[in-house]
Amino acid sequence: MAKKAQATWGGRFSKGPAELMLAFGESVSFDKRLAPYDIEVNKAHTAMLQSIGLLTKKELRDIHKGLEVLAKRIAKGEVEWKAEFEDVHMNIEQLLTKITPAAAKMHTARSRNDQVATDVRLFFKDACGQMVAKLERLLGALLTIAEKNQDVFIPGYTHLQRAQPVSVAHHLLAYVEMFGRDIGRFVRVYENANWCPLGSGAIAGTTLPIDREFTAKALGFVDARGKPQVTPNSMDAVADRDLFLDFAHACSVTATHISRVAEDVIIWNSSEFSYVSLPDAFCTGSSLMPQKKNPDSLELLRGKSGRIIGNEQSLFVMVKGLPLTYNRDLQEDKPQVFDSFDQLSISLDVLTGTVEGMEFREAKCAAAVSDPALLATDLADYLVNKGVAFREAHHVVGALVALGEKLDCPLNEIPNDQAKALHPKMGDDWMEVFDLQRAMKAREGAGMPGPKQIRKQLAKWKKSLG
Ligand code: ARG
């Protein structure tokens, strides 16, 4: 069954699209969330049209008043979005037509191609700002727990084997670095979004005497000095989806960081490790086993990362074979970025909540880190300090480890005479290297886990967060 010709572009058609095509082609069910940006863009565009004499002052007033009425109705959820008008842009134009006849002039000198490109740039600027704010809250939570646990030590791992001791603070500061880089990534996406494509038209601009700087300025697409920034090529402006890829990528990297943190904490929380206890508020029980308290928030965070990475992949696959410029395929660009935004937003909040309620079990941490094997490398360094070549020192300490295994005793309890027999440079003080506090204090180089370094890093991050 065919519908009557479509109201906005139906001039050349004798029949409207099939119901099936309407259902298939509509995007308003998901792009309606661009409505606030679309209204802003409509306001700026019509103000520009008035400034160049293509709208009267009265027409502009009527359009702006009408758009404000619509904005309120949309915010209250009172607007009925219609699939027959395809997308948010045409729905808003149609709704405005019912308020003022001047609405018929609103689409002068533009296309939905440059319109949607402009709307999404406003969305990306907003979205990046929100991500940065959420990342900063997460950093705040990590810093608080790190500060509290400067004197709690745990084994650091490589290959998931105990490697060397670190303070909990140093480990948490590693996460701070990761999420700090994520902030930088979102700031760069914001900067790339800050160029106005409006005025590019469908593909080749317009013959009408528009003022692109006017709209760019009105919409806040300006540099640090307030100078308007307009995209330099009309074809690129309507075909370009780099921001979608960049934003989705920034989300993927952050989600990957979240997933790795989640994995660490899941391991720390396991009965075998028991380094941390998690807040009840972010765990769930088992419907069968009464004793269970499962780290579900962390497992979901790990799981969501797959979905967010998938969104990025699907955008690349969608864009890669498209000829310039706009193709309707590009309408499929929005669900993925909206999903990445929504899922990452809630993930960041959930990780922040989980971190805030996380407590380190000091006795368990102390027991794990008391393993003197963690300081075997320090013993090799001790020999190096006495002039032994590192390879030789490594070999000597390896022999000591083997001896410990043979005697079934920890490294620092191997009888002094047997240890000293391994190398002439093993003095009576060799056991001192197994003093944990001393070992940590010996690591005060830049980026190392020495207590002064940690205090410096904590202070630096706290200052940068304000
Ligand atoms: N809903 C469309 C999209 O998001 C808007 C652009 C439509 N342009 C067109 N030439 N049909 O891609």
Side-chain angles (χ1 to χ4, degrees):
M1 215 237 336
K3 279 242 165 181
K4 77 172 192 322
Q6 221 285 351
T8 49
W9 47 249
R12 79 182 301 291
F13 287 76
S14 53
K15 277 184 181 165
E19 293 282 1
L20 185 59
M21 181 56 201
L22 287 178
F24 186 61
E26 69 84 26
S27 57
V28 69
S29 56
F30 53 87
D31 66 17
K32 63 185 177 201
R33 69 191 281 172
L34 291 175
Y37 309 108
D38 203 62
I39 286 177
E40 254 190 88
V41 170
N42 284 335
K43 280 187 177 172
H45 182 67
T46 49
M48 182 276 291
L49 290 177
Q50 192 276 318
S51 79
I52 59 167
L54 288 180
L55 281 180
T56 65
K57 284 205 164 127
K58 159 126 183 43
E59 285 168 333
L60 179 65
R61 251 197 328 273
D62 290 349
I63 289 175
H64 277 208
K65 260 198 237 150
L67 288 170
E68 266 147 41
V69 169
L70 283 180
K72 283 196 194 115
R73 282 174 50 200
I74 291 167
K76 284 195 206 146
E78 290 169 4
V79 157
E80 198 199 326
W81 301 104
K82 294 201 169 142
E84 67 184 283
F85 298 131
E86 289 185 18
D87 54 25
V88 65
H89 324 290
M90 296 216 288
N91 267 271
I92 286 178
E93 187 180 318
Q94 287 300 312
L95 289 163
L96 190 67
T97 306
K98 297 214 182 86
I99 301 177
T100 169
K105 293 191 177 177
M106 188 162 72
H107 210 54
T108 308
R110 76 171 182 198
S111 153
R112 273 181 297 158
N113 296 352
D114 59 345
Q115 185 179 358
V116 71
T118 312
D119 288 8
V120 295
R121 280 170 179 267
L122 292 175
F123 164 79
F124 283 128
K125 286 175 71 177
D126 244 13
C128 289
Q130 288 184 49
M131 288 306 182
V132 169
K134 282 177 192 285
L135 280 161
E136 284 176 348
R137 273 205 294 283
L138 173 58
L139 290 189
L142 286 167
L143 289 173
T144 303
I145 308 285
E147 198 160 31
K148 237 170 76 182
N149 290 285
Q150 290 174 74
D151 301 322
V152 179
F153 299 94
I154 50 173
Y157 295 80
T158 61
H159 313 271
L160 205 51
Q161 307 276 336
R162 286 179 182 172
Q164 292 183 305
V166 291
S167 61
V168 164
H170 192 59
H171 199 129
L172 296 179
L173 280 164
Y175 302 157
V176 169
E177 291 295 326
M178 287 150 65
F179 294 120
R181 287 196 296 277
D182 292 339
I183 289 180
R185 213 169 279 109
F186 280 111
V187 168
R188 288 192 290 280
V189 177
Y190 177 98
E191 283 162 3
N192 292 340
N194 197 22
W195 291 81
C196 188
L198 201 62
S200 301
I203 165 170
T206 172
T207 59
L208 295 165
I210 60 167
D211 181 348
R212 291 194 63 199
E213 273 76 22
F214 181 111
T215 34
K217 214 166 176 172
L219 290 168
F221 291 106
V222 293
D223 69 11
R225 278 169 290 130
K227 196 170 151 271
Q229 307 200 111
V230 300
T231 52
N233 181 294
S234 64
M235 291 180 74
D236 178 50
V238 294
D240 169 31
R241 290 298 180 275
D242 289 3
L243 280 169
F244 288 73
L245 304 176
D246 290 347
F247 181 79
H249 178 67
C251 290
S252 298
V253 178
T254 303
T256 301
H257 289 158
I258 291 175
S259 185
R260 294 187 73 179
V261 172
E263 175 61 8
D264 270 351
V265 181
I266 288 168
I267 291 171
W268 287 346
N269 179 62
S270 65
S271 316
E272 285 70 18
F273 280 69
S274 279
Y275 295 173
V276 290
S277 71
L278 295 176
D280 281 2
F282 289 94
C283 294
T284 57
S286 159
S287 57
L288 177 74
M289 298 166 281
Q291 85 283 11
K292 291 295 286 288
K293 177 179 159 187
N294 298 326
D296 287 30
S297 67
L298 298 162
E299 292 171 359
L300 279 166
L301 289 169
R302 204 173 48 186
K304 300 267 188 198
S305 67
R307 174 169 167 185
I308 292 170
I309 293 163
N311 286 335
E312 180 188 353
Q313 299 307 315
S314 87
L315 284 168
F316 272 103
V317 176
M318 195 248 306
V319 172
K320 78 170 186 65
L322 292 183
L324 296 193
T325 53
Y326 181 84
N327 300 271
R328 191 65 179 276
D329 316 42
L330 292 175
Q331 180 167 287
E332 290 293 315
D333 56 7
K334 284 169 279 298
Q336 290 87 344
V337 291
F338 292 157
D339 188 62
S340 285
F341 173 74
D342 292 340
Q343 294 306 318
L344 188 62
S345 298
I346 193 165
S347 292
L348 285 166
D349 290 345
V350 167
L351 183 59
T352 303
T354 309
V355 165
E356 278 168 350
M358 183 165 94
E359 277 179 22
F360 282 82
R361 299 177 192 267
E362 295 188 19
K364 294 279 189 185
C365 295
V369 82
S370 69
D371 177 357
L374 288 163
L375 293 170
T377 314
D378 292 43
L379 186 58
D381 290 348
Y382 160 94
L383 290 171
V384 168
N385 273 326
K386 295 191 162 202
V388 181
F390 179 73
R391 268 300 145 238
E392 193 186 347
H394 188 285
H395 203 81
V396 172
V397 180
L400 190 76
V401 171
L403 186 58
E405 272 172 14
K406 199 173 109 198
L407 302 174
D408 193 21
C409 84
L411 280 189
N412 58 345
E413 286 170 28
I414 291 174
N416 195 25
D417 54 332
Q418 291 193 45
K420 282 175 67 178
L422 291 172
H423 197 277
K425 292 285 161 117
M426 288 284 277
D428 281 322
D429 58 349
W430 67 274
M431 265 176 238
E432 284 172 19
V433 304
F434 296 105
D435 176 337
L436 182 61
Q437 302 297 333
R438 185 176 175 272
M440 297 320 294
K441 284 197 189 116
R443 292 175 158 78
E444 288 293 3
M448 299 181 195
K452 278 194 206 136
Q453 279 296 320
I454 298 299
R455 281 198 293 278
K456 203 168 133 186
Q457 290 298 323
L458 286 170
K460 183 199 86 179
W461 275 106
K462 277 167 70 180
K463 193 170 158 212
S464 88
L465 285 177

